[in-house]
Each structure stands twice: as structure tokens, then as C-alpha cells.
Amino acid sequence: MPELPEVETVRRRLEPSLAGGVVRSVRLGLPRLLESGAVERLDDLVGLRCQGVERRGKYLLLRFADPVPPGPGRDRILVVHLGMSGQLTWHPAGQAAIDRFTRMPSGLQVPLGPHTPDRHTHLVVDWENGGKLLFRDPRTFGRLLLASPEDLASLPRLARLGPDALDLDTDTFLARWRDMAGRRSVKAVLLDQSFVAGIGNIYADESCFEAGIRPAARAGALSGPRRAALAAAVRAVLRRGLDNCGTTFRDFRHPDGSEGGNQEDLRVYARGGQPCLSCGSTLKSAVVATRGTVWCPRCQR
DNA sequence: AGTACTACCTGGAGGC
DNA sequence: TGCCTCCAGGTAGTAC
């Protein structure tokens, strides 16, 4: 469930640790997570220096270049998608194993801090500075791709993405809605990464609530003002999620293992059957666009 | 062509 | 306590 706010939070916190570092070794414990792309040899990264971390929608792009120029042709970009349970954590050099725990609302105790490698840790990147970058993903929905800068644009997964939801102005939103809404539900359009990149199930439901629109409503039938309200709602909801450093519902963690805070600010997601925080009506839940969906029958028309 | 649906995967929760 | 079943969901691929 890492969506734009979660992935951007990871990007912001990971970049200071990675940028400038040189890769010493790479181990991939679950080969099927590396999707066949332009380049399929993770060992290519060994000896390269990390130039920075970028984000496109829910994808993270780790840029690497040869530290001894000129080294044309060796540059690589590691593309990471966290799937629904992926965690990228950073272990600084010499840091002892973290044994702090936090208690989830369910009562479950989970480790707080960069995770200790376990059977779900599928990628380990060792750096010359002694740090380690770990990728842990219990559900294994995450994906890794490796590409050269020239081939990046030809990766289908990235080529399909629409404009990033974070810096989407209302005019662009309205134009794309006019062209792409069709006969689908509002929720289906919001989840379509080729419409706008970065929205997932949590922020789709929250955006619909914020705009007072039922997720199952026909997208093409929305009035102009309501479309504009939805555009504003998407921006506000993503911005709030980002300000809260992401939503930790279960698996999401920051690179240092800490949790996001946006779960405290969710109005409808996972609250089916509970009272609407705005009007007190019982929130309804159903499957819309093959996703668990929650809305207020009174506030959302 | 556009839309809808399923496979993939495994931990957690709930029922008995 | 333990076993079983169901559910969660992003994306690609398939079916209609």
C-alpha cells in the first residue's frame, strides 16, 4: 500500500544516506523480484556511485554512475516498486541491531528500526562506507528493474505512467478526465496509473470523501465543478499524507524503521461500519473496481 | 477499443 | 491450541 506519499517519504529520507555512496556488493535472494528489463545484471552496480534518488508515481529510481569518468555506458538506474508490503531500510555503518518494538493497534508487536535481515529480506546492497540498504517484502509484490539511462524511457512500466499526482494542476486533471474517464467508476479512474501516477486504494477513498463523491459514481457523468473539487481533493489528501510522512497501516516503514503518522488522519479507509467523522452516519463498505472501498452514504453523493 | 476481471503472494484475523 | 478459510492489494495479462 505504499502510495505516492509513502514512496516520496522514503525517497526524501533515503537520498541523504545513499547519495555519494559507492556500491560494494549486491545480493538478490529472490531472483523473480528482478523483472526482465533493459539490463538484468545487478552486479553492474558494483563500483558505481549513487547520484541520487528520484520518484515517478510509486516507483523509486536510484541513479548510479561510474565514479571514475569517463565511464560512458556503465551508468545504471535501479528502479524499485514497493508493491504492497515492500520496505527499503538503511543501516548506517557499525549500527548495532535494533531491538526496539512498537505495539500496533491490533496488539501485535513489530520491530521499530531498520529491520534485521530475515527470510523476507530479498535484496541486500553493501556500500563502501559500511552501510547497508535492505529490501524486505513479505508479500513479494514488489519489483526491481535495472536499466541504463538511455533505455529508461523504454521501460513499459514507466512509459505507461501518467503525470505525477503531486504536481498536477486542475486544468491538466480536467483535460485528462475528459479524455480518459469513459464509462468507468470514479475510483477506477483514480487508481489508473496511466491517468495520474501515485494514487492507490487509501488515497483514492480519502480523496473521494474529501470531494463528497461516491467512489462508484460514473466518472464521465461528474459535473465540471465536481471534477474540479476532486482535483483539489486529490492534491489536499496527498499533501496531508506527505506532511504526515505516510500512512503506516501495517507494513509501511521509513528507511530508519519508524512509522508514518497519516493513519491518524484517515477519514474513511478501513473504517467501514464506523461513524462518519463529519456527519455520524455509518460508513458503508463494498468492493469497487476490485478494491475494498469505504464511503459515507450521506456526505458522498 | 474500452472495460472488467484474475493471477500473483503470504501474513494476519476470525471461526470452530 | 490448532487447523482451516478468507482477506488485503498494485500491476500485468487475459477475457469479453
Side-chain angles (χ1 to χ4, degrees), chain A residues 24-236:
Chain A
R24 176 187 289 162
S25 69
V26 184
R27 283 166 310 196
L28 180 63
L30 191 59
R32 65 177 169 80
L33 293 190
L34 180 63
E35 197 162 281
S36 55
V39 184
E40 295 170 39
R41 299 176 304 274
L42 278 180
D43 283 344
D44 286 358
L45 295 176
V46 174
L48 300 189
R49 184 187 302 281
C50 181
Q51 307 293 103
V53 183
E54 300 166 17
R55 182 190 57 77
R56 294 191 194 173
K58 303 173 192 174
Y59 291 87
L60 283 172
L61 278 57
L62 282 62
R63 287 192 178 270
F64 293 90
D66 200 324
V68 191
R74 286 203 62 200
D75 294 2
R76 292 289 182 267
I77 298 165
L78 178 63
V79 181
V80 181
H81 192 295
L82 299 176
M84 70 175 284
S85 61
Q87 305 166 347
L88 274 176
T89 56
W90 171 252
H91 294 239
Q95 179 180 291
I98 300 280
D99 287 321
R100 291 178 294 147
F101 287 79
T102 186
R103 191 173 287 278
M104 297 292 281
S106 65
L108 181 74
Q109 280 201 329
V110 295
L112 185 61
H115 76 273
T116 306
D118 61 14
R119 68 195 189 91
H120 300 298
T121 304
H122 306 307
L123 177 72
V124 179
V125 181
D126 282 294
W127 300 69
E128 293 290 349
N129 59 22
K132 286 180 192 295
L133 176 69
L134 304 184
F135 179 62
R136 180 177 187 271
D137 184 11
R139 303 286 157 93
T140 71
F141 272 26
R143 287 296 178 265
L144 306 169
L145 293 96
L146 194 61
S148 62
E150 312 82 68
D151 293 334
L152 188 68
S154 67
L155 291 179
R157 279 177 174 266
L158 297 182
R160 269 192 282 269
L161 296 179
D164 200 83
L166 196 56
D167 42 47
L168 188 67
D169 59 279
T170 298
D171 286 346
T172 305
F173 185 98
L174 293 178
R176 294 184 76 76
W177 196 273
R178 190 190 324 118
D179 294 341
M180 300 180 69
R183 304 180 54 78
R184 297 181 285 171
S185 63
V186 169
K187 176 126 177 191
V189 176
L190 291 178
L191 291 176
D192 181 354
Q193 302 299 297
S194 71
F195 168 68
V196 162
I199 303 173
N201 202 36
I202 296 174
Y203 295 98
D205 275 12
E206 294 297 313
S207 296
C208 286
F209 177 80
E210 190 88 6
I213 295 169
R214 291 205 185 188
R218 291 292 119 194
L222 284 190
S223 68
R226 307 196 79 207
R227 296 178 186 191
L230 186 56
V234 166
R235 277 196 303 271

